[in-house]
Amino acid sequence: MSFLAIDVGNTRLKWAQYASPQPGAALIAHGAVFLETIDHLADTDWKGIAPPSSMLGCVVAGEGVKRRVEEQLELWDDLEPRWAVSTREACGVSNGYDHPNRLGVDRWVAMIGARQRVLAQGGPRPALVVMVGTAVTVDALDASGHFIGGLILPGFGLMLRALEMGTAGLKAPTGEAVDFPTNTSDALMSGGADALAGAVERMYRKLRRRCGAEPALLMSGGAAVKLAPITELPFETVDTLIFDGLLALQARRLAL
């Protein structure tokens, strides 16, 4: 009854195989590849793993990329590809977006994973879910699991490229985030980091004020390591938020 969870972002495909399709299941195998190389998954990363009984994926990279992944999944004849979609409610999380189906599915699934984690760690409380990748999202859940809104910002790479394209003389090597930058490389990196950290800290204060309780701050995504040292708030880095959400969604589907 092994389960394959797939997260297809804007830059990389991440996958994880679990012993069963339920929250807390043992992790059997996992990996990540850049989208440019997904056409070789059946002959490389997936060739040596046991055939999964079911799969559920989360894809934001577009229909073309999704079709390429499905071609690789043909490695297992009996496996039916299934893909998560944003809905009005699922797994104890309600969707407050003006048009629920237009909420990015990666954000939706990550919030479901975050909700499961918060409940497992001591019961209901507000949560701020930060995903740091090509773009950065900062999404707020109240203590009842209602998504009340969130931010979308450019990630580190997009910020730096925008500055390089829009200004003269700012094509500097990648620097470090420091308190008082004294060179252009560090100034660029520190400016981007402080902009993102400021957005997170501002949303955190808004959520705390609205809910009257300290939110759990959960950070995930490939570039979370760059933002983690910057914010002064207590936080937990959880690399598996989307996988946790996919496990919860699959368990819910099988229980219906």
Side-chain angles (χ1 to χ4, degrees):
M1 284 293 293
S2 69
F3 171 67
L4 181 65
I6 299 177
D7 170 21
V8 189
N10 292 299
T11 304
R12 296 191 302 163
L13 178 151
K14 298 167 283 293
W15 62 272
Q17 186 181 30
Y18 292 90
S20 61
Q22 58 188 359
L27 178 64
I28 299 174
H30 65 95
V33 298
F34 288 104
L35 296 189
E36 292 83 355
T37 66
I38 59 176
D39 299 315
H40 306 292
L41 278 168
D43 297 320
T44 55
D45 294 47
W46 290 348
K47 185 176 183 180
I49 69 173
S53 301
S54 61
M55 69 78 60
L56 182 62
C58 170
V59 58
V60 298
E63 286 296 319
V65 172
K66 184 172 77 171
R67 285 194 296 270
R68 290 166 59 198
V69 177
E70 289 177 341
E71 288 175 0
Q72 298 304 298
L73 291 169
E74 292 174 1
L75 168 68
W76 301 295
D77 295 335
D78 298 329
L79 186 66
E80 177 187 0
R82 296 188 61 257
W83 302 96
V85 295
S86 297
T87 57
R88 191 171 296 279
E89 187 280 331
C91 301
V93 179
S94 58
N95 189 341
Y97 229 44
D98 291 343
H99 302 281
N101 63 320
R102 295 183 185 177
L103 174 65
V105 68
D106 55 338
R107 299 168 65 190
W108 177 237
V109 174
M111 282 188 280
I112 291 172
R115 178 67 175 174
Q116 306 303 309
R117 193 171 192 87
V118 167
L119 292 177
Q121 290 180 340
R125 63 184 292 203
L128 195 64
V129 184
V130 181
M131 291 203 298
V132 190
T134 305
V136 176
T137 56
V138 186
D139 291 319
L141 288 169
D142 68 15
S144 71
H146 180 62
F147 168 53
I148 57 179
L151 308 175
I152 303 175
L153 302 90
F156 287 95
L158 290 177
M159 283 189 186
L160 293 176
R161 285 196 291 275
L163 282 168
E164 287 181 356
M165 292 174 60
T167 59
L170 284 183
K171 298 184 184 300
T174 301
E176 300 293 331
V178 298
D179 288 341
F180 299 100
T182 56
N183 61 70
T184 302
S185 297
D186 288 353
L188 288 167
M189 180 57 70
S190 301
D194 281 359
L196 295 176
V200 171
E201 293 170 2
R202 185 175 173 85
M203 182 66 90
Y204 184 95
R205 291 194 298 270
K206 290 178 180 178
L207 181 58
R208 180 177 59 193
R209 185 166 58 247
R210 172 158 176 164
C211 295
E214 291 290 334
L217 174 55
L218 304 176
M219 289 203 285
S220 189
V225 65
K226 295 181 180 179
L227 182 59
I230 307 303
T231 181
E232 297 178 356
L233 298 170
F235 66 90
E236 181 182 6
T237 301
V238 186
D239 294 330
T240 60
L241 275 186
I242 286 181
F243 292 151
D244 294 344
L246 291 172
L247 281 165
L249 285 166
Q250 183 71 355
R252 175 177 179 264
R253 172 179 173 267
L254 295 177
L256 294 176

